[in-house]
Amino acid sequence: MRHEHADHGAHQGHQGHSDHEGHHGHAGGVTWGMASSATLHCLTGCAIGEVLGMVIGTALGWGNLATIALAVALAFVFGYALTMRGVLKAGVGFRQAVKVALAADTVSIIVMEVVDNGVMLVVPGAMEAGLASWLFWGALAFAFAVAFVVTVPVNKWLIGRGRGHAVVHAYHH
Protein backbone atom coordinates (compact mmCIF):
# COMPACT_ATOMS: atom_id res chain seq x y z
CA MET A 1 0.00 0.00 0.00
CA ARG A 2 2.80 2.37 0.86
CA HIS A 3 4.28 1.84 -2.62
CA GLU A 4 0.95 2.68 -4.30
CA HIS A 5 0.61 5.87 -2.28
CA ALA A 6 4.13 6.95 -3.14
CA ASP A 7 3.54 6.29 -6.83
CA HIS A 8 0.18 8.07 -6.68
CA GLY A 9 1.78 11.19 -5.24
CA ALA A 10 4.44 11.20 -7.93
CA HIS A 11 2.00 11.58 -10.82
CA GLN A 12 2.13 14.97 -12.50
CA GLY A 13 -0.96 17.11 -11.89
CA HIS A 14 -2.43 14.93 -9.14
CA GLN A 15 -1.63 17.12 -6.16
CA GLY A 16 -4.56 17.08 -3.78
CA HIS A 17 -6.05 14.08 -5.57
CA SER A 18 -7.21 12.54 -2.31
CA ASP A 19 -9.46 15.58 -1.81
CA HIS A 20 -10.65 15.11 -5.35
CA GLU A 21 -11.61 11.51 -4.59
CA GLY A 22 -13.43 12.56 -1.45
CA HIS A 23 -15.44 15.12 -3.39
CA HIS A 24 -16.43 12.47 -5.87
CA GLY A 25 -17.48 10.25 -3.06
CA HIS A 26 -15.00 7.50 -3.82
CA ALA A 27 -13.91 7.83 -0.22
CA GLY A 28 -17.51 8.08 0.97
CA GLY A 29 -17.21 11.80 1.74
CA VAL A 30 -20.14 13.18 -0.23
CA THR A 31 -21.91 15.82 1.81
CA TRP A 32 -25.41 17.21 1.49
CA GLY A 33 -23.71 20.53 0.72
CA MET A 34 -21.97 19.02 -2.31
CA ALA A 35 -25.22 17.51 -3.50
CA SER A 36 -27.09 20.78 -2.93
CA SER A 37 -24.45 22.72 -4.85
CA ALA A 38 -24.63 20.30 -7.79
CA THR A 39 -28.42 20.46 -7.73
CA LEU A 40 -28.44 24.25 -7.60
CA HIS A 41 -26.10 24.32 -10.60
CA CYS A 42 -28.44 22.00 -12.47
CA LEU A 43 -31.52 23.92 -11.35
CA THR A 44 -30.04 27.17 -12.67
CA GLY A 45 -29.68 25.86 -16.21
CA CYS A 46 -33.01 24.05 -16.06
CA ALA A 47 -34.83 27.08 -14.70
CA ILE A 48 -33.53 29.34 -17.46
CA GLY A 49 -34.77 26.92 -20.13
CA GLU A 50 -37.95 26.06 -18.27
CA VAL A 51 -38.97 29.68 -17.71
CA LEU A 52 -38.15 30.59 -21.30
CA GLY A 53 -40.17 27.63 -22.59
CA MET A 54 -43.13 28.36 -20.30
CA VAL A 55 -43.08 32.03 -21.28
CA ILE A 56 -42.89 31.31 -25.01
CA GLY A 57 -45.53 28.57 -24.92
CA THR A 58 -47.89 30.59 -22.72
CA ALA A 59 -47.39 33.80 -24.73
CA LEU A 60 -48.15 31.94 -27.96
CA GLY A 61 -51.25 30.35 -26.45
CA TRP A 62 -49.94 26.82 -26.88
CA GLY A 63 -51.55 23.92 -25.05
CA ASN A 64 -50.00 22.28 -22.00
CA LEU A 65 -48.29 19.49 -23.93
CA ALA A 66 -46.57 21.77 -26.46
CA THR A 67 -45.56 24.27 -23.77
CA ILE A 68 -44.12 21.57 -21.54
CA ALA A 69 -42.31 19.94 -24.46
CA LEU A 70 -40.65 23.26 -25.33
CA ALA A 71 -39.83 23.98 -21.67
CA VAL A 72 -38.26 20.55 -21.19
CA ALA A 73 -36.25 20.79 -24.42
CA LEU A 74 -34.93 24.22 -23.44
CA ALA A 75 -34.20 23.03 -19.89
CA PHE A 76 -31.92 20.34 -21.31
CA VAL A 77 -30.28 22.80 -23.72
CA PHE A 78 -29.56 25.39 -21.04
CA GLY A 79 -28.68 22.79 -18.40
CA TYR A 80 -26.11 21.17 -20.67
CA ALA A 81 -24.88 24.55 -21.93
CA LEU A 82 -24.19 25.79 -18.41
CA THR A 83 -22.11 22.71 -17.63
CA MET A 84 -20.33 22.85 -20.98
CA ARG A 85 -19.42 26.49 -20.41
CA GLY A 86 -17.31 25.60 -17.38
CA VAL A 87 -15.79 22.52 -18.99
CA LEU A 88 -14.89 24.38 -22.19
CA LYS A 89 -13.37 27.15 -20.07
CA ALA A 90 -11.08 24.49 -18.56
CA GLY A 91 -9.67 23.85 -22.05
CA VAL A 92 -11.60 20.69 -22.92
CA GLY A 93 -12.57 20.19 -26.56
CA PHE A 94 -16.19 20.60 -27.65
CA ARG A 95 -16.92 16.89 -28.20
CA GLN A 96 -15.51 15.92 -24.82
CA ALA A 97 -17.40 18.80 -23.17
CA VAL A 98 -20.65 17.46 -24.66
CA LYS A 99 -19.87 13.99 -23.28
CA VAL A 100 -19.08 15.42 -19.85
CA ALA A 101 -22.30 17.48 -19.79
CA LEU A 102 -24.38 14.46 -20.82
CA ALA A 103 -22.77 12.29 -18.14
CA ALA A 104 -23.02 14.98 -15.47
CA ASP A 105 -26.51 16.32 -15.98
CA THR A 106 -28.84 13.89 -17.74
CA VAL A 107 -30.24 12.05 -14.72
CA SER A 108 -30.48 15.22 -12.64
CA ILE A 109 -32.30 17.12 -15.40
CA ILE A 110 -34.71 14.24 -16.03
CA VAL A 111 -35.66 14.05 -12.35
CA MET A 112 -35.96 17.81 -12.10
CA GLU A 113 -38.12 18.10 -15.21
CA VAL A 114 -40.47 15.28 -14.28
CA VAL A 115 -41.00 16.77 -10.83
CA ASP A 116 -41.37 20.44 -11.72
CA ASN A 117 -43.61 19.84 -14.72
CA GLY A 118 -45.67 17.40 -12.68
CA VAL A 119 -46.16 20.06 -10.02
CA MET A 120 -47.17 22.62 -12.64
CA LEU A 121 -49.77 20.20 -13.97
CA VAL A 122 -51.30 19.41 -10.58
CA VAL A 123 -51.56 23.01 -9.34
CA PRO A 124 -55.09 23.92 -10.43
CA GLY A 125 -55.06 26.58 -13.15
CA ALA A 126 -51.29 27.12 -13.12
CA MET A 127 -50.71 26.17 -16.75
CA GLU A 128 -53.73 28.15 -17.92
CA ALA A 129 -52.86 31.25 -15.90
CA GLY A 130 -51.36 34.08 -17.92
CA LEU A 131 -47.84 35.38 -17.62
CA ALA A 132 -49.14 38.34 -15.62
CA SER A 133 -50.67 36.00 -13.05
CA TRP A 134 -49.18 35.44 -9.60
CA LEU A 135 -50.57 31.89 -9.82
CA PHE A 136 -48.37 31.06 -12.81
CA TRP A 137 -45.17 32.44 -11.28
CA GLY A 138 -45.95 31.21 -7.77
CA ALA A 139 -46.66 27.70 -9.04
CA LEU A 140 -43.47 27.74 -11.12
CA ALA A 141 -41.37 28.87 -8.13
CA PHE A 142 -43.02 26.20 -5.97
CA ALA A 143 -42.37 23.60 -8.69
CA PHE A 144 -38.67 24.51 -8.76
CA ALA A 145 -38.45 24.28 -4.97
CA VAL A 146 -40.06 20.84 -4.93
CA ALA A 147 -37.81 19.69 -7.81
CA PHE A 148 -34.74 20.90 -5.91
CA VAL A 149 -35.71 19.02 -2.73
CA VAL A 150 -36.41 15.80 -4.66
CA THR A 151 -33.25 16.03 -6.81
CA VAL A 152 -30.69 16.71 -4.03
CA PRO A 153 -30.70 13.10 -2.74
CA VAL A 154 -30.49 11.81 -6.32
CA ASN A 155 -27.39 13.94 -6.93
CA LYS A 156 -25.88 12.88 -3.59
CA TRP A 157 -26.30 9.25 -4.61
CA LEU A 158 -24.82 9.89 -8.09
CA ILE A 159 -21.82 11.84 -6.79
CA GLY A 160 -21.20 9.13 -4.20
CA ARG A 161 -20.76 6.70 -7.09
CA GLY A 162 -18.46 8.97 -9.10
CA ARG A 163 -21.27 9.96 -11.47
CA GLY A 164 -23.35 13.05 -12.08
CA HIS A 165 -21.53 16.23 -11.13
CA ALA A 166 -18.57 14.21 -9.88
CA VAL A 167 -17.68 13.86 -13.57
CA VAL A 168 -17.53 17.66 -13.97
CA HIS A 169 -15.37 18.18 -10.88
CA ALA A 170 -12.36 16.66 -12.67
CA TYR A 171 -12.36 19.70 -14.98
CA HIS A 172 -12.59 22.37 -12.28
CA HIS A 173 -9.04 22.28 -10.92
Side-chain angles (χ1 to χ4, degrees):
M1 278 233 206
R2 176 174 279 215
H3 178 69
E4 289 175 26
H5 182 69
D7 286 346
H8 182 74
H11 291 301
Q12 288 282 354
H14 284 280
Q15 295 80 10
H17 191 71
S18 62
D19 290 340
H20 175 72
E21 285 180 12
H23 183 78
H24 281 252
H26 298 162
V30 180
T31 66
W32 287 105
M34 291 174 191
S36 294
S37 178
T39 305
L40 186 58
H41 179 271
C42 185
L43 180 64
T44 301
C46 286
I48 293 167
E50 185 89 19
V51 169
L52 188 58
M54 290 286 184
V55 167
I56 291 169
T58 303
L60 295 176
W62 290 0
N64 290 353
L65 186 61
T67 299
I68 288 174
L70 178 62
V72 169
L74 291 176
F76 274 93
V77 168
F78 281 92
Y80 289 143
L82 186 60
T83 295
M84 285 181 60
R85 180 177 155 250
V87 175
L88 289 168
K89 200 174 185 179
V92 175
F94 185 80
R95 275 186 181 212
Q96 184 62 28
V98 168
K99 290 177 184 177
V100 169
L102 291 171
D105 292 335
T106 300
V107 172
S108 185
I109 294 173
I110 288 169
V111 171
M112 203 164 282
E113 288 306 300
V114 166
V115 172
D116 75 50
N117 284 292
V119 169
M120 285 299 288
L121 288 171
V122 299
V123 172
M127 290 297 293
E128 293 76 25
L131 295 176
S133 168
W134 67 268
L135 176 60
F136 175 82
W137 294 106
L140 191 55
F142 176 67
F144 288 145
V146 172
F148 178 83
V149 169
V150 170
T151 308
V152 168
V154 173
N155 281 327
K156 186 175 189 301
W157 183 82
L158 288 168
I159 294 167
R161 280 141 190 83
R163 297 193 165 120
H165 272 259
V167 176
V168 174
H169 182 71
Y171 299 96
H172 289 278
H173 284 126

